[in-house]
Amino acid sequence: MATPVIERRGVLIVDDDALLRDMIAQVLEKAGFNTVTAANAIEAIGLTRTANPDAVVIDIDLGIGPDGLQLAEAITRESPGTAMVFLTNLPSARFSSRPSATVLDSVAYLRKSRLATSDELVVALNAVLSERVTPEQRHDQHAGDPLAHLTTAQLEVLRLVSEGLSNDQIAELRHSSTRSVERLFARTLEALHIDPQQGAARVHAARTYILATLR
């Protein structure tokens, strides 16, 4: 049973999925929160300034534009006391477009696929608002990440390969040479115990990454 909300607190919900965004708002309104919603980081920043929410629930992948991690950093700079809950499909921030990003200890990190009931989100919100985040509200710290042994660079190149980018395109994004990307990807395949000589090595690597995000 979720801990009841003692007072109505304002919560900003940021998710690019309109249906899910509205569902979360309904759940939180029913639990006693006042909510406002945004589809992207730009809208969210504007609402942070006008609505002055006590907490924000943020998806990391927000489509085109700044991601949820960048949004969280911006909100923290402008309103340091704002409590935060990441609600995302990603196993951890390492799987984002900014794999070196970190999540503060005071922030809750929930995976959408691991929530058994909506009460867990309400509990997490109460936890961050009272500054009492527990391991139960940090799904990114749970053991079992099959790619935990990969370096940040290896995980990044694996993510880009899973998105269908060529080595040339990855090199451009990383501001490096194609040869450097080829060497990095070769080391990544070795770390995954994938034979680079097999015809479907690139497909196999992409599939490994995608399956890891679904665990």
Side-chain angles (χ1 to χ4, degrees):
M1 195 66 182
T3 305
V5 180
I6 297 175
E7 59 179 302
R8 293 189 72 88
R9 311 291 290 273
V11 181
L12 168 61
I13 302 160
V14 191
D15 197 301
D16 62 341
D17 184 321
L19 179 60
L20 181 58
R21 190 169 64 239
D22 290 345
M23 288 176 60
I24 295 170
Q26 291 174 22
V27 166
L28 297 185
E29 289 280 349
K30 185 176 180 181
F33 293 98
N34 292 323
T35 67
V36 290
T37 65
N40 54 58
I42 303 302
E43 287 183 19
I45 288 295
L47 285 170
T48 300
R49 293 167 178 165
T50 58
N52 192 28
D54 299 293
V56 291
V57 176
I58 310 175
D59 191 2
I60 291 180
D61 184 1
L62 296 176
I64 299 173
D67 65 16
L69 294 166
Q70 292 169 308
L71 172 60
E73 291 171 357
I75 292 175
T76 299
R77 284 194 300 270
E78 293 203 8
S79 305
T82 306
M84 293 187 184
V85 176
F86 285 113
L87 181 61
T88 179
N89 287 317
L90 300 181
S92 72
R94 295 181 74 232
F95 286 77
S96 72
S97 60
R98 302 170 63 232
S100 60
T102 58
V103 177
L104 298 176
D105 292 339
S106 59
V107 173
Y109 191 107
L110 305 178
R111 292 191 65 189
K112 295 174 181 177
S113 61
R114 289 193 176 181
L115 293 185
T117 70
S118 58
D119 280 351
E120 293 179 58
L121 176 57
V122 177
V123 169
L125 268 173
N126 284 324
V128 295
L129 285 165
S130 62
E131 299 182 355
R132 296 177 180 176
V133 176
T134 69
E136 285 70 28
Q137 285 104 43
R138 289 302 299 259
H139 294 174
D140 57 326
Q141 296 177 351
H142 290 185
D145 177 0
L147 304 182
H149 62 293
L150 296 187
T151 67
T152 296
Q154 289 171 341
L155 192 63
E156 181 183 23
V157 76
L158 191 59
R159 176 182 64 81
L160 294 172
V161 166
S162 75
E163 293 175 1
L165 274 64
S166 67
N167 287 346
D168 288 339
Q169 292 171 318
I170 294 173
E172 183 176 354
L173 283 174
R174 289 177 55 82
H175 305 292
S176 64
S177 68
T178 300
R179 181 58 183 155
S180 294
V181 172
E182 290 172 349
R183 289 195 295 265
L184 175 58
F185 186 53
R187 292 195 297 272
T188 304
L189 290 177
E190 181 180 0
L192 294 173
H193 306 293
I194 297 174
D195 182 0
Q197 302 304 317
Q198 70 180 58
R202 203 172 186 87
V203 173
H204 190 177
R207 182 173 181 273
T208 298
Y209 178 87
I210 293 169
L211 289 176
T213 66
L214 298 176
R215 290 172 65 89

